[in-house]
Amino acid sequence: MRDDMKPLNEEHLRECVAEAVAGGAPLEVAGQGTKRGFGRPAAADRRLELSALSGIRLYEPEELVMSAGAGTPLDEIEAALAAKRQMLAFEPPHLGRIYGHAQAGGTIGGVFACNLAGPRRFRAGAARDHLLGFRGVSGRAEIFKSGGRVVKNVTGYDLSKLVCGSFGTLAALSEVTFKVLPAPEKTWTVLVFGLGATEAAAAMAEAAGAPHEVTGLCHLPAAIAMESTVDYVAGAGTSVTAIRVEGPGPSVEHRAGALKAMFAGRGGVEELHGHRSGEFWTEIRDVQPLLGRDRALWRVSLPATDGGAWLDRAMAETGGDGYLDWAGGLVWLAVAPGDDAHAAAVRQGLNGGHATLMRAPDGVRRRVPVFEPEATPVAALSRRIKEGFDPKGVLNPGRMVEGV
Amino acid sequence: MQMPEPDRAALGQRSELVARFREFLPSDSVVVDEAALRAFECDGLTAYRQPPMIAVLPETTAEVSRMLKLCKAAGVKVVPRGAGTSLSGGALPLADGVLLGLAKLNRVLEIDYPNRAAVVQPGVTNLAISQAVEGEGFYYAPDPSSQIACSIGGNVAENSGGVHCLKYGLTTNNILGLEVVLMDGEVIRLGGRHLDQPGYDLIGVLTGSEGLLGVVTEVTVRILRRPEVARGLLVGFDSVEAGGACVADIIGAGIIPAGMEMMDRPAIHAAEAFCHPGYPLDAEALLIIELDGPAVEVDHLTEIVRGLCEKRGAVSLRVSASETERLNFWAGRKAAFPAVGRISPDYYCMDGTIPRARLPHVLARMAEMSGKYGLRVANVFHAGDGNLHPLILYDANEPGELERAEDFGADILRLCVEVGGVLTGEHGVGVEKRDLMGTMFTEVDLNQQQRLKCAFDPDGLLNPGKVFPTLHRCAELGRMHIHGGRMPFPDLPRF
Ligand SMILES: Cc1cc2nc3c(=O)[nH]c(=O)nc-3n(C[C@H](O)[C@H](O)[C@H](O)COP(=O)(O)OP(=O)(O)OC[C@H]3O[C@@H](n4cnc5c(N)ncnc54)[C@H](O)[C@@H]3O)c2cc1C
Ligand SMILES: Cc1cc2nc3c(=O)[nH]c(=O)nc-3n(C[C@H](O)[C@H](O)[C@H](O)COP(=O)(O)OP(=O)(O)OC[C@H]3O[C@@H](n4cnc5c(N)ncnc54)[C@H](O)[C@@H]3O)c2cc1C
């Protein structure tokens, strides 16, 4: 292992990449490294750490826009936004803890590179829907930019979408500019007790299709609910389906009331107020109910109405534990790692969806495709895109797909 | 504006191609008649016209695929076209190219209410999607003013927006899946009824790619439940500055209205004369604010917004008391373009976005330019997100006026970039703004975008001549170094 590199500014970053290109020595691109366990292990023997490219460079609350160095800690961004009663509406999960990191949030560049989004995803979009522009260094050691700082922009190709979820394989980001939104004045959660997973998926579809503008819909089987730190959830003694409403005070109270009435006949109904709601959704967002480090963790995206039945089947076949988020469209499933983390059973019945192996020992992540394999023509296209940005394969080789 | 010299080799293949197309398409779907071809000679940017070599109107994905494969093999260019309402010349045909019309792929294939998704073919109009689901209380959020005519395929290609984008996002935020045919005829499916794709976000880059990367043959869109109540506020101010400051106050108070649109004095007067929505004629700026959501919320926010407007010195303020009145508030705004068309023989619609706070500065500079060019401007804009649509009034019959209007427009767009904004907020680059791309991007930035194009379409056959000022060749871009923008092969035709 050669020395890691920690560039201090964008030009320095470009030089680091140029050196890697010249020496044919690929780089593992990292922010704070909190999510090194996410994706395949990169086939690189030097680490390029971007944490020094840090600091908020522009924040105009009335314009709903912020720019920051890609290495800025997510915590710092969220604190600055909270001071102005604003937020990242896509609710990025602080995933570090599932990989055993104390600094769970990582950097803002990492959030976009992994396209992370929390419970509000089904309504407010993913990280990619909020990135307005970026600057970065390609695998050609060229500084380039795309997008801008305004919300409405169709000037040229939307490369901001492309770098989101590219896991540092197309460019090392130096600066990101993103959209921010007002934080809701009030957050309440309606809890419905005792539904089975299939029933819960149907109930969540109903709530999402009602005009009550719900912004969170998740379902915890009894065993998972018991692990919650929120009293009303842990004490339920049965499964919990949670429905979040946010906004101005009178509106939230009215909508929570309407939702309680809607589900009153179908099981016990409770409500969580501001503080408890906050804690509960943070737990869901950060996958805390499945924190135990010994098990492999899958994140499965599928049509929302399939989620409940899929979870029941997958739990029965793998002996795992899991819960539903995104109105049923996202399943978190923890299973024994074994040789292949039950990949075949997990990748069944996804109806067009996809499964990502979020956490498993390195060996398992080398053997099992971490990301759902792409259809052949799409994979070929992705490979040509990678070559266009990084022809020598110096940025995070193998992180997404073996050999690319 | 210059288009490339037609390629003689391509023209020479015309009759051969027509024969091959007719092997699998009915003869009325392969248009060769000169008069019939003229129907496609321009899109909404009517200043540029060029009939295509051939027009083809397939009805299935398989036909699109077969047709592209033939063109690829023949090295013939293809220009996709939806409804032809693009305002940037994105669907402008090429003399040596085939026009691929997608209007016949016009069926709503499936509506899935529990998953809040609809699967439609690209030729379905934007409004028809909302109409297909309105019975169940749903709608499709992005609502370009052209929604009655424009196709969802064109919306995807242009990443179109409308007055509801402030709160509900653009096309790109409302697309779940695509079926796309690549230039080599390969059919790929991306996304579906689930969220987020593994791998690179190809749906994300295809959206807004102006028909240069692939042909969209099926779209899965997100549909939303109609809000319980929508209410409009019509607020007059005695200066554009006050109106702009009020917009900032509302957002600063944590309120994101469903829409927030502004018109200046000339636009107010033109709209009032055209359809009499009852706009205040003494105001310098008119703000239309729409709040939507649960009734209690709309009631609550209406009072807060009313207070903020009064504090900024609103000279008039009306709150809609009925759905008819709300629609009436919008009627003038939505008819602003034709309304201006009545007070001037011609107008040229620009489309730049700026950071909202720079609005007073930009309007003052535009007034100066108006004096310099001797042409009037009317302004309607999406005030919530800083997307401006200055309408430059001119008379094409007066020698030199068209050119002056174009120069004026280019100056406005340069100004947008100078203050931190962008060249186009929703109409696209097309042929119209491609020569201005260099004001926003460096050569390195543009080359990187071109490399994306090369990954999809290495021979550059799909809609060439649009978006990018120079036609780099994929082979030369493959090299590691391109110095200072100097072009190899200077004798090859460029745009
Ligand atoms: C008769 C009665 C019945 C009650 N029933 C319930 C019930 O069914 N369910 C229930 O949960 N509580 C219940 N409570 C408790 C009461 O609602 C709590 O005080 C609750 O925190 C207030 O919620 P709120 O939404 O009105 O206030 P909020 O304004 O949302 O919050 C109250 C306080 O918590 C802080 N806060 C809010 N969110 C967060 C966060 N995410 N992190 C840190 N601080 C935060 C706020 O700053 C504020 O200081 C009940 C109380 C009474 C008197
Ligand atoms: C009066 C008026 C008002 C307008 N208002 C708005 C507005 O409010 N907001 C806004 O965003 N736009 C607006 N527009 C612009 C225009 O309507 C949009 O850009 C629209 O999305 C174009 O759709 P279309 O089907 O007409 O596409 P076309 O004009 O036919 O084509 C536009 C581009 O898309 C490509 N294309 C079309 N279909 C496909 C396909 N299936 N696959 C791949 N590429 C394809 C074409 O090659 C071309 O580059 C307005 C236009 C008019 C005339």
Side-chain angles (χ1 to χ4, degrees):
Chain A
M1 167 78 72
R2 281 177 273 180
D3 289 344
D4 290 345
M5 298 196 270
K6 192 169 170 179
L8 302 173
N9 55 46
E10 190 178 73
E11 177 53 28
H12 190 189
L13 168 62
R14 193 194 60 74
E15 286 163 15
C16 293
V17 177
E19 195 189 310
V21 172
L27 300 167
E28 179 194 345
V29 185
Q32 291 173 338
T34 58
K35 292 178 278 285
R36 289 184 85 187
F38 184 6
R40 297 181 78 257
D45 48 25
R46 293 179 93 178
R47 186 157 154 193
L48 178 66
E49 193 186 310
L50 304 176
S51 58
L53 301 174
S54 178
I56 294 171
R57 306 202 176 143
L58 170 146
Y59 177 27
E60 292 177 1
E62 264 113 47
E63 300 270 344
L64 304 174
V65 64
M66 183 183 268
S67 288
T72 312
L74 177 59
D75 294 337
E76 185 180 329
I77 304 260
E78 290 186 329
L81 290 170
K84 297 282 181 192
R85 298 198 50 81
Q86 293 194 325
M87 64 174 183
L88 296 171
F90 57 96
E91 214 176 0
H94 293 224
L95 277 193
R97 282 186 65 198
I98 65 174
Y99 302 111
H101 277 268
Q103 270 167 314
T107 64
I108 190 70
V111 166
F112 285 108
C114 301
N115 192 30
L116 293 175
R120 219 182 272 109
R121 165 70 182 95
F122 75 95
R123 184 155 183 108
R128 55 87 91 176
D129 292 288
H130 298 259
L131 185 65
L132 300 175
F134 69 87
R135 296 179 58 86
V137 174
S138 72
R140 299 169 180 271
E142 292 176 335
I143 296 173
F144 73 110
K145 67 168 181 306
S146 183
R149 53 159 293 190
V150 290
V151 185
K152 275 178 103 177
N153 176 12
V154 293
T155 322
Y157 298 133
D158 194 352
L159 299 186
S160 301
K161 297 282 182 298
L162 199 63
V163 297
C164 281
S166 69
F167 290 81
T169 61
L170 300 179
L173 303 181
S174 54
E175 185 177 289
V176 287
T177 300
F178 45 91
K179 184 164 116 176
V180 301
L181 281 171
E185 187 184 309
K186 208 176 190 100
T187 299
W188 278 14
T189 303
V190 170
L191 305 178
V192 185
F193 299 129
L195 302 182
T198 311
E199 265 176 296
M204 290 192 285
E206 208 180 314
H212 303 310
E213 302 190 345
V214 303
T215 63
L217 281 163
C218 70
H219 171 78
L220 315 182
I224 301 281
M226 240 148 59
E227 302 287 316
S228 177
T229 59
V230 177
D231 49 4
Y232 288 27
V233 178
T238 179
S239 71
V240 174
T241 308
I243 310 169
R244 178 170 64 181
V245 280
E246 301 175 296
S251 168
V252 167
E253 287 167 32
H254 171 83
R255 287 183 283 150
L259 285 160
K260 273 169 78 177
M262 191 166 155
F263 293 106
R266 283 181 250 182
V269 179
E270 254 307 347
E271 66 190 31
L272 294 186
H273 289 170
H275 194 70
R276 286 189 181 88
S277 277
E279 282 192 2
F280 175 74
W281 289 102
T282 301
E283 271 178 23
I284 297 300
R285 182 193 76 184
D286 297 347
V287 212
Q288 285 177 49
L290 300 175
L291 207 55
R293 296 220 64 221
D294 49 333
R295 289 190 297 175
L297 194 59
W298 287 92
R299 183 176 185 270
V300 179
S301 171
L302 74 180
T305 48
D306 294 356
W310 189 92
L311 174 64
D312 278 342
R313 184 197 54 81
M315 279 176 28
E317 278 180 31
T318 63
D321 274 317
Y323 67 92
L324 303 174
D325 195 1
W326 297 359
L330 181 72
V331 186
W332 286 101
L333 182 74
V335 297
D339 282 345
D340 67 349
H342 297 274
V346 169
R347 291 209 155 114
Q348 241 184 68
L350 293 181
N351 199 2
H354 57 96
T356 307
L357 181 55
M358 292 296 291
R359 182 183 71 196
D362 280 11
V364 178
R365 285 185 294 127
R366 280 201 186 89
R367 275 191 296 279
V368 174
V370 164
F371 302 98
E372 192 80 26
E374 295 181 313
T376 314
V378 178
L381 192 50
S382 297
R383 203 176 281 250
R384 293 197 296 273
I385 291 173
K386 165 78 173 172
E387 279 160 15
F389 281 78
D390 180 20
K392 297 272 163 95
V394 294
L395 300 177
N396 268 350
R399 177 92 191 239
M400 293 178 77
V401 180
E402 188 179 359
V404 181
Chain B
M1 216 260 329
Q2 230 190 317
M3 291 306 275
E5 279 298 304
D7 171 12
R8 253 174 266 119
L11 292 173
Q13 301 195 64
R14 185 170 190 259
S15 47
E16 165 74 11
L17 268 177
V18 169
R20 301 294 300 274
F21 292 150
R22 290 206 161 132
E23 284 169 15
F24 63 98
L25 289 169
S27 64
D28 64 345
S29 292
V30 184
V31 182
V32 291
D33 176 67
E34 225 173 281
L37 285 175
R38 201 152 300 134
F40 304 103
E41 71 180 359
C42 70
D43 56 17
L45 185 67
T46 53
Y48 307 123
R49 290 166 196 271
Q50 170 64 59
M53 174 169 81
I54 310 167
V56 209
L57 310 169
E59 284 175 44
T60 67
T61 301
E63 289 168 1
V64 173
S65 164
R66 208 160 152 190
M67 174 266 164
L68 287 176
K69 228 176 250 168
L70 284 171
C71 291
K72 161 104 176 173
V76 167
K77 299 162 192 153
V78 176
V79 177
R81 175 184 171 105
T85 67
S86 164
L87 293 173
S88 54
L92 178 69
L94 299 168
D96 54 354
V98 178
L99 185 97
L100 167 56
L102 293 146
K104 286 190 180 179
L105 284 121
N106 61 359
R107 284 182 305 136
V108 173
L109 299 174
E110 205 185 332
I111 301 171
D112 177 352
Y113 293 108
N115 284 308
R116 298 173 305 286
V119 185
V120 302
Q121 291 189 316
V124 174
T125 65
N126 173 293
L127 188 62
I129 300 176
S130 287
Q131 285 169 344
V133 299
E134 74 187 350
E136 298 286 324
F138 283 79
Y139 76 116
Y140 173 64
D143 56 345
S145 305
S146 53
Q147 67 182 158
I148 186 170
C150 65
S151 73
I152 186 71
N155 288 178
V156 171
E158 298 283 0
N159 189 18
S160 297
V163 300
H164 284 118
C165 287
L166 179 61
K167 183 167 172 184
Y168 297 101
L170 302 150
T171 302
T172 190
N173 311 112
N174 289 277
I175 297 299
L176 295 168
L178 292 179
E179 179 188 77
V180 178
V181 188
L182 303 179
M183 188 61 217
D184 60 8
E186 189 85 63
V187 181
I188 60 172
R189 296 193 66 89
L190 305 165
R193 258 164 269 191
H194 57 281
L195 297 172
D196 301 337
Q197 271 294 101
Y200 298 141
D201 186 358
L202 304 183
I203 297 178
V205 287
L206 278 155
T207 309
S209 65
E210 304 195 28
L212 270 70
L213 300 183
V215 176
V216 175
T217 48
E218 189 188 290
V219 189
T220 304
V221 299
R222 197 160 81 110
I223 52 172
L224 297 180
R225 178 65 186 233
R226 259 205 190 287
E228 221 169 79
V229 174
R231 188 172 299 151
L233 283 87
L234 191 68
V235 195
F237 290 93
D238 59 11
S239 73
V240 170
E241 285 79 0
C246 188
V247 169
D249 291 345
I250 292 169
I251 288 173
I255 299 170
I256 306 292
M260 199 148 42
E261 300 281 307
M262 192 140 89
M263 298 165 78
D264 70 0
R265 189 182 187 94
I268 300 168
H269 281 247
E272 184 59 26
F274 184 64
C275 60
H276 320 294
Y279 288 172
L281 293 175
D282 53 345
E284 287 299 322
L286 184 69
L287 210 53
I288 308 176
I289 304 163
E290 181 163 303
L291 298 166
D292 71 3
V296 266
E297 178 166 328
V298 172
D299 289 343
H300 176 77
L301 295 181
T302 301
E303 287 319 304
I304 297 177
V305 170
R306 183 203 291 275
L308 292 169
C309 293
E310 282 165 357
K311 231 164 124 188
R312 277 290 167 189
V315 294
S316 68
L317 192 155
R318 276 166 58 199
V319 179
S320 67
S322 67
E323 188 61 4
T324 317
E325 193 174 8
R326 180 185 72 86
L327 294 174
N328 193 42
F329 288 177
W330 283 114
R333 165 64 185 87
K334 295 220 169 186
F337 292 6
V340 167
R342 292 212 329 175
I343 61 169
S344 172
D346 300 283
Y347 68 85
Y348 182 33
C349 172
M350 304 312 297
D351 163 47
T353 308
I354 57 166
R356 248 187 300 100
R358 308 304 307 274
L359 187 65
H361 169 78
V362 167
L363 289 176
R365 288 279 305 278
M366 257 164 34
E368 280 168 36
M369 291 179 196
S370 169
K372 175 181 150 198
Y373 285 101
L375 296 172
R376 290 178 298 158
V377 201
N379 266 297
V380 294
F381 37 85
H382 307 298
D385 42 33
N387 186 198
L388 310 183
H389 290 313
L391 304 177
I392 302 170
L393 314 187
Y394 71 100
D395 181 351
N397 289 327
E398 289 293 318
E401 278 212 1
L402 168 66
E403 291 71 23
R404 282 218 310 278
E406 286 183 343
D407 290 347
F408 185 0
D411 273 358
I412 291 176
L413 296 183
R414 284 190 200 99
L415 172 62
C416 291
V417 174
E418 190 187 302
V419 301
V422 298
L423 291 173
T424 169
E426 58 182 16
H427 294 168
V429 177
V431 290
E432 185 195 30
K433 293 158 219 135
R434 59 164 208 218
D435 295 336
L436 291 171
M437 287 287 273
T439 62
M440 214 176 122
F441 296 112
T442 64
E443 186 74 14
V444 171
D445 299 338
L446 289 173
N447 283 344
Q448 193 53 58
Q449 299 209 22
Q450 277 287 337
R451 288 191 188 98
L452 181 70
K453 163 78 170 167
C454 296
F456 282 84
D457 174 23
D459 302 335
L461 294 175
L462 200 55
N463 214 2
K466 318 291 169 67
V467 184
F468 296 101
T470 51
L471 191 66
H472 298 295
R473 306 210 149 213
C474 292
E476 83 206 28
L477 276 169
R479 294 182 192 157
M480 286 294 287
H481 301 288
I482 289 180
H483 290 294
R486 247 181 293 121
M487 305 299 257
F489 310 114
D491 52 335
L492 287 177
R494 318 253 173 208
F495 296 57

